[in-house]
Amino acid sequence: MKVRICFFLIVAFIPPGYTQNRKQPVGKESRNPIYLDTTYSFRERAADLVSRMTLSEEVLQLHTNFAPAIPRLGVSQYFYWSEGQHGINAMFGSINIGDVKKEKTAWNPHATSFPVNFASAMSWDPKLIYKETEAISDEARGFIDKSLFNVGQNNLGDSVGNYGNLIYWAPTINMDRDPRWGRNDEAFGEDTYLASHMAAAFVNGFQGQTIDGQSMTGYLKVATTAKHYAMNNVENNRYGISSDAPDEAIRDYYTATFRYLIEKAHVAGLMTAYNAINGTPAVANTYIVNELAQRTFGFDGYITSDCGAVGTTYKNFPYGHDWAAPGWRTNRQGDKAVWVNEERGNTVSGVAGGLAYALRAGTDLNCTGDENTLPNIEEAIKAGVLSKGVIDIDLTNVFTIRMRTGEFDPPAKVPYTKISKNVIQSSAHQQLAEEVAENSLVLLKNDTVPGRHKCLLPMDASRLNKIIIVGNLANEVTLGGYSGDPSLKVSAVQGITSAMKAVNPGCEVIFDETGSSTTSENPAILSDKTKADIKSADLVIVFVGTDGGVCHEDQDRAGIEMPGNYDSLMAQVAALNNPNMVMVIQSIGPVAINFTQQWFPAIVFSSFNGESQGTALANVLLGKKDPAGHLNFTWYKNNTQLPDKSNYYLTPNKTKGLGRTYMYFRGIPTYPFGYGLSYTQIKFSNVHVSKTEITPNDGITVSFDVTNTGSVAGEAVAQLYVAFPTIKGEEMPVKKLAGFEKSESLQPGQTQHVSLKVDADNLSFWNEKELKAMVYNGVYEFQVGYNSRDIVTSALVNIQGTLTPKVVRVTLQPEALIYHVGETINLHDKNKWIKSDINPELEDLHAPADNIMEAVNNDDSFADLAGMHADYQSNNRSVANVNAAGIVKTIGVGVATITATVNGISGSMVIVVK
């Protein structure tokens, strides 16, 4: 059975900087209310603030666009919807910018636009991503510079006195498991290890943390929100479909990156998805949201729905799942749906029931808030499917994050308030966008050409007299989804022209769009002049790819064919027999080139590469920058290598023998995961494994040398894979990425030593029969290579034994936030509001996790607390005390944090006593 996702989950391991100036609070309230007293923790202050709100005030605070001000409490209007996937691209608080005072100004602010996440992840450089999001969050803070109010774009809302809106809905971390997904460009690739490390760097830079996840100031610089939780990888009919998969895939693949961001980057928020998961809407799914995110992974931030996702609980297909919670049945009338209780016969509207179960599951905020009206909330409470306590705890989660940004503290105490509008589109940020773009380009092919004794690239600019560029996309700046409107936009044509003028002013750069586009059904058109120019050019660049006309949010690609009339364009250009041709691809993912690539000695790829994409391309083509990017996906040959998009299984036996991702794929791709060439040559040598016999409780270190054996400086990406033993009854991956490191720029002959540590428990898989993660015994092969296919050397490690269970997380989830003097709470009782709401006929078996107090082991099993000793503590005994049996008794008015400790691991909850 699944635990019911509860409103508020306080978990162990809150980083030191996240509870500010923690002191023993006194029972008597100070001159300031508790929520303004910085000697209390952020969560205690948030709880106190929420406890002062009326139900009608609380209901309005559940809306993302917008939560109105509460002047009597000093609460400002707040827009929770801001976007910053690869630069600031939406601020719904931008409603006062001079003469224009409308929300239409929310989208496309003038801000630095970096490569999309899919592109930048191909740098395999977490440190670079970290620098990028430090810059983006600087600009987010810059947009709340009060001097911008009523003058320019800002995120201050309705008053210059507002603190500003600092919750951003980024990054997208759904797995790019299928290249046809319409939002592949927003995410970080198909591998959980790579995506986790790149996305963690994104979050840490954005939130003002060290790259290892520690707060540097005690405050959040900007709050990030990882989305879309979970399994949101099909756009077509996304509101009404169910993403169905076994628990092993859900835990080990689809939620793995979310888990990493929760545990290692302390991501502030999550966004629940539109889709259902095994029949239960994600927005109200207690297993996904509560049992996994909060209780197993330890998430203690806020959760918002995707926009309109609460409505998917009761609406009919294709706009919803026509769902009713267990014990209820629906009359299937969509917006007018009514749920009937199968036991008692009482009714509640589908709207009220759906929003209630979303709130109970832990989806705190409703984007944009349509269902969250006072009549609907009161109806749900009257029907017994919701309580004010649930709402109180939901809002405490939300206001804790707002507290952590410094909103309710004196500005002088918050270092980030010193950031001004001057950082927006600064020259330093623009230069950084160019650097990220350079490092995101992948060299796929670089052959020698007739008459030359070296590879076509890089080209010597001084020897080029004529360059011709064909393909409409070369003269456009395709920024990808969720992009702002930067002042600087450099297309390929502009970038190459500018670069050539700087070093060889006499070179002629010619462009012809050739009637090409991503949607054209007619052949490309080469004029006689263009044909002559192609024949006589020193370099021919054919620019092809995808854009928003092919796919986007709400629309998947039908297949991975080269779109529009680009195949026609390439065939016509190739027929002119110029040997010096480069195919440049900028796309949302792989396109079918297994036939056309033979015509081109060189191929360069990137996804949508930011505002300076043209400059970066020129720098790589002309050798100013060595291409250092590597694919973060498998480049499939054609559609026959892909299972149905709606099939979320990974293994070959569930995907008609195909397998998903390089981990399970059984075919031969055009290019393997991790692939990327360089202008130099790299050698891996002296590989050493620290141990060859270990248990699942141990780890190993794989060390080796990386040497530049070529003639030019370059960077290498050292990749470590692990191939698994054959296990009877289990379909194991072919291999998985277990570590990587991008080298520094190595001069010819220079060597860098690399050491990669692998903990054996990170090689575990969820075992549904045992309801725990297991490291299977056997011989594991650790492979060092250039990519997942081209392995240089390997070493064998024998892993034997079992993973010793130990408690790693304790969580306390009470039924309410507010109690009255004299009430008691038994921490060993059930919490009825988090009772599982999944359908056991459609789901794998889950362990029950609906006690107020739960503990999770390192193998993800739930500990049997009946046989374990726990210590309990209250930080304010004048408000509440707790005895050795875990019984909390409220004593006086105020706020208290109750802590339970099991085997040295602690978890807490905050209560308010009235």
Side-chain angles (χ1 to χ4, degrees), residues 8 14 63 159 166 226 255 359 372 390 459 593 635 669 753:
F8 141 136
I14 298 176
H63 295 221
S159 171
L166 289 171
T255 64
L359 289 165
N372 289 63
V390 172
M459 296 297 295
I593 57 170
W635 196 298
H753 188 70

Side-chain angles (χ1 to χ4, degrees), residues 367-479:
C367 180
T368 57
D370 292 349
E371 289 81 11
N372 289 63
T373 65
L374 185 59
N376 287 341
I377 293 289
E378 289 177 333
E379 180 189 355
I381 292 173
K382 183 178 180 181
V385 294
L386 184 64
S387 71
K388 184 178 182 296
V390 172
I391 297 170
D392 291 339
I393 294 176
D394 282 331
L395 280 179
T396 299
N397 292 335
V398 173
F399 276 94
T400 298
I401 299 303
R402 288 177 62 172
M403 290 279 178
R404 287 175 56 194
T405 66
E407 180 180 350
F408 294 88
D409 289 1
K413 288 181 65 70
V414 186
Y416 303 120
T417 58
K418 297 180 177 65
I419 298 173
S420 75
K421 63 184 178 183
N422 296 330
V423 300
I424 301 170
Q425 297 194 104
S426 68
S427 59
H429 290 181
Q430 292 174 335
Q431 181 59 43
L432 180 59
E434 181 182 322
E435 180 185 353
V436 176
E438 287 177 344
N439 283 274
S440 302
L441 284 156
V442 182
L443 181 63
L444 296 176
K445 183 179 180 181
N446 195 20
D447 291 347
T448 57
V449 296
R452 295 167 61 105
H453 299 288
K454 60 179 182 179
C455 298
L456 177 61
L457 297 177
M459 296 297 295
D460 184 346
S462 66
R463 296 178 178 271
L464 297 176
N465 297 310
K466 180 190 288 186
I467 299 173
I468 184 165
I469 307 169
V470 294
N472 67 304
L473 292 176
N475 203 35
E476 300 174 8
V477 178
T478 307
L479 295 173

Side-chain angles (χ1 to χ4, degrees), residues 650-680:
L650 302 172
T651 58
N653 69 344
K654 293 292 187 178
T655 54
K656 297 183 178 179
L658 295 171
R660 278 199 184 278
T661 79
Y662 78 96
M663 292 177 279
Y664 292 96
F665 182 55
R666 295 297 189 260
I668 300 174
T670 300
Y671 296 106
F673 173 85
Y675 183 86
L677 301 177
S678 168
Y679 292 153
T680 193

Side-chain angles (χ1 to χ4, degrees), residues 1 215 263 266 353 356 358 394 569 625 674 734 774 801 811 876 897 903:
M1 294 177 61
S215 175
E263 294 182 340
H266 314 292
D394 282 331
L569 172 62
K625 174 69 174 67
V734 176
M774 298 178 63
T811 58
N876 195 341
T897 296
N903 291 349

Side-chain angles (χ1 to χ4, degrees), residues 8 136 147 200-201 226 246 313 446 471 583 620 647 681 720 733 765 901 911:
F8 141 136
I136 295 171
S147 69
T313 57
N446 195 20
M583 182 197 303
V620 167
N647 184 342
Q681 288 79 47
L720 175 66
F765 293 88
T901 302
I911 60 172

Side-chain angles (χ1 to χ4, degrees), residues 781-800:
E781 182 181 7
F782 288 85
Q783 306 171 340
V784 176
Y786 299 104
N787 54 67
S788 61
R789 180 191 66 195
D790 299 319
I791 302 302
V792 176
T793 187
S794 64
L796 301 179
V797 176
N798 186 17
I799 303 179
Q800 296 293 327

Side-chain angles (χ1 to χ4, degrees), residues 451-699:
R452 295 167 61 105
H453 299 288
K454 60 179 182 179
C455 298
L456 177 61
L457 297 177
M459 296 297 295
D460 184 346
S462 66
R463 296 178 178 271
L464 297 176
N465 297 310
K466 180 190 288 186
I467 299 173
I468 184 165
I469 307 169
V470 294
N472 67 304
L473 292 176
N475 203 35
E476 300 174 8
V477 178
T478 307
L479 295 173
Y482 286 81
S483 298
D485 183 19
S487 301
L488 177 64
K489 297 177 185 176
V490 184
S491 69
V493 172
Q494 293 170 326
I496 293 168
T497 300
S498 178
M500 290 308 301
K501 284 183 178 179
V503 297
N504 185 359
C507 179
E508 183 182 13
V509 179
I510 302 166
F511 168 70
D512 186 355
E513 69 170 18
T514 65
S516 60
S517 78
T518 60
T519 57
S520 177
E521 298 180 358
N522 300 313
I525 301 170
L526 298 185
S527 67
D528 290 340
K529 180 180 184 307
T530 294
K531 291 178 181 179
D533 286 331
I534 290 172
K535 289 180 179 180
S536 61
D538 299 303
L539 178 64
V540 179
I541 299 173
V542 182
F543 200 113
V544 297
T546 67
D547 60 12
V550 175
C551 59
H552 47 75
E553 183 172 2
D554 256 341
Q555 179 182 312
D556 296 310
R557 279 200 283 175
I560 63 170
E561 302 89 355
M562 184 69 74
N565 55 3
Y566 294 131
D567 279 339
S568 166
L569 172 62
M570 287 187 285
Q572 292 182 60
V573 171
L576 299 173
N577 295 316
N578 188 318
N580 303 312
M581 297 193 304
V582 179
M583 182 197 303
V584 175
I585 307 170
Q586 184 172 261
S587 69
I588 196 169
V591 285
I593 57 170
N594 48 301
F595 179 74
T596 55
Q597 68 172 334
Q598 66 183 314
W599 300 328
F600 295 85
I603 304 174
V604 177
F605 169 78
S606 77
S607 192
F608 311 124
N609 218 17
E611 65 183 32
S612 292
Q613 55 192 245
T615 305
L617 178 63
N619 290 344
V620 167
L621 293 179
L622 301 177
K624 184 177 178 179
K625 174 69 174 67
D626 179 62
H630 288 253
L631 297 179
N632 56 359
F633 63 94
T634 301
W635 196 298
Y636 299 101
K637 288 182 179 180
N638 52 47
N639 296 325
T640 65
Q641 295 186 328
L642 297 170
D644 187 278
K645 286 195 293 286
S646 62
N647 184 342
Y648 276 78
Y649 284 78
L650 302 172
T651 58
N653 69 344
K654 293 292 187 178
T655 54
K656 297 183 178 179
L658 295 171
R660 278 199 184 278
T661 79
Y662 78 96
M663 292 177 279
Y664 292 96
F665 182 55
R666 295 297 189 260
I668 300 174
T670 300
Y671 296 106
F673 173 85
Y675 183 86
L677 301 177
S678 168
Y679 292 153
T680 193
Q681 288 79 47
I682 298 296
K683 179 182 178 181
F684 300 128
S685 61
N686 301 322
V687 176
H688 174 73
V689 178
S690 59
K691 300 176 184 177
T692 58
E693 301 274 347
I694 62 172
T695 75
N697 305 292
D698 301 324

Side-chain angles (χ1 to χ4, degrees), residues 248 252 664 724 730-733 736 761-768 772-776 780 859:
E248 180 180 319
D252 296 340
Y664 292 96
F724 296 85
E730 301 292 336
E731 196 164 12
M732 304 295 285
K736 286 180 66 175
D761 59 3
N762 287 334
L763 306 178
S764 66
F765 293 88
W766 180 254
N767 186 295
E768 181 58 27
K772 64 180 181 180
M774 298 178 63
V775 180
Y776 293 113
Y780 291 69
D859 61 6

